[in-house]
Amino acid sequence: MAAPVLGLLMAASAAAATEESFKKPDWDQIANIKEAALHLAQMQRTQGANRAFQFIDACYRTHSLQVEYSRPFEACIAQDYLETRILALIYSRMPPETLKRLGMPTPKMLADTMGRRIVTAFKSYNVPVSEVQAFKKLVDEHGFPVFFKALFPDSKVPEITDDPQNSDAAPTDDVPAKDAPKDDAPNNDKKQ
């Protein structure tokens, strides 16, 4: 999932930003990412994936109004990436025909729509490619394990792959069976 998204992010950022024009974050990005991951995981466990996506949408709408790239806006991006990655992992365990029959997005559709949201977010603040790459690496290394363990405390954190169809990376515990999706999963037109 991450490879196509990162390519889009880099292309969009390269056209719009230079290292000199971007004010580097002056906050602890790792702490911000971990806090955002834990908050969203707790929300999803208690209120479901639809509520988590509604929160992310509200987060973008609120924090994108700021003049400069900010800590809260960065948390929105991290949460969007993490939520989408988890759902793509879960949905990758389901047969495509089941996803289609239930009106659910494929892992690729999830990745593509998330990619468009994140490209727009980074582009709106002229974030350069080097910062996008560094941020993605921080989210993968620090945010994903926190998010995953909060959602699936008894499961081993899977290795992060760039393939949204990789069912071997999906959690094996606490995940619905292939033909039993979660009731609160988003539908195809969510967050486009």
Side-chain angles (χ1 to χ4, degrees), residues 34-64:
K34 286 180 174 182
E35 181 181 311
L38 187 57
H39 180 261
L40 192 69
Q42 290 169 339
M43 179 181 295
Q44 179 163 331
R45 282 187 66 89
T46 60
Q47 300 174 45
N50 276 347
R51 178 63 185 116
F53 271 113
Q54 290 168 353
F55 176 81
I56 293 165
D57 181 58
C59 185
Y60 275 134
R61 290 175 191 267
T62 300
H63 297 294
S64 66

Side-chain angles (χ1 to χ4, degrees), residues 55-77 79 124-125:
F55 176 81
I56 293 165
D57 181 58
C59 185
Y60 275 134
R61 290 175 191 267
T62 300
H63 297 294
S64 66
L65 300 174
Q66 297 176 336
V67 174
E68 293 183 352
Y69 186 74
S70 66
R71 184 177 195 267
F73 191 69
E74 181 180 84
C76 301
I77 297 169
Q79 289 170 328
S124 68
Y125 290 100

Side-chain angles (χ1 to χ4, degrees), residues 16-174:
T18 65
E19 295 290 330
E20 299 81 36
S21 66
F22 178 71
K23 181 182 172 199
K24 288 189 173 242
D26 58 1
W27 55 86
D28 183 341
Q29 288 183 289
I30 293 172
N32 188 37
I33 289 165
K34 286 180 174 182
E35 181 181 311
L38 187 57
H39 180 261
L40 192 69
Q42 290 169 339
M43 179 181 295
Q44 179 163 331
R45 282 187 66 89
T46 60
Q47 300 174 45
N50 276 347
R51 178 63 185 116
F53 271 113
Q54 290 168 353
F55 176 81
I56 293 165
D57 181 58
C59 185
Y60 275 134
R61 290 175 191 267
T62 300
H63 297 294
S64 66
L65 300 174
Q66 297 176 336
V67 174
E68 293 183 352
Y69 186 74
S70 66
R71 184 177 195 267
F73 191 69
E74 181 180 84
C76 301
I77 297 169
Q79 289 170 328
D80 191 3
Y81 179 79
L82 292 167
E83 182 68 18
T84 303
R85 180 172 279 287
I86 285 291
L87 288 179
L89 286 173
I90 292 168
Y91 289 5
S92 72
R93 297 187 71 219
M94 299 174 71
E97 56 276 1
T98 300
L99 293 172
K100 185 176 182 177
R101 186 181 79 242
L102 296 172
M104 299 168 80
T106 65
K108 184 179 180 336
M109 290 169 68
L110 287 168
D112 290 348
T113 58
M114 182 265 304
R116 287 192 294 272
R117 290 188 302 273
I118 290 178
V119 164
T120 300
F122 280 127
K123 193 174 181 181
S124 68
Y125 290 100
N126 296 325
V127 179
V129 172
S130 61
E131 290 295 321
V132 172
Q133 291 172 324
F135 177 73
K136 181 198 170 295
K137 184 177 180 185
L138 290 176
V139 176
D140 284 341
E141 290 177 2
H142 302 282
F144 184 76
V146 169
F147 190 63
F148 187 91
K149 286 309 278 184
L151 288 175
F152 308 105
D154 298 327
S155 296
K156 180 181 179 227
V157 177
E159 272 194 54
I160 295 176
T161 68
D162 289 338
D163 180 3
Q165 303 294 334
N166 183 359
S167 61
D168 294 337
T172 56
D173 301 328
D174 302 328

Side-chain angles (χ1 to χ4, degrees), residues 170-190:
T172 56
D173 301 328
D174 302 328
V175 177
K178 288 189 181 266
D179 290 325
K182 293 170 76 172
D183 289 342
D184 61 354
N187 60 27
N188 284 354
D189 59 359
K190 186 72 178 160

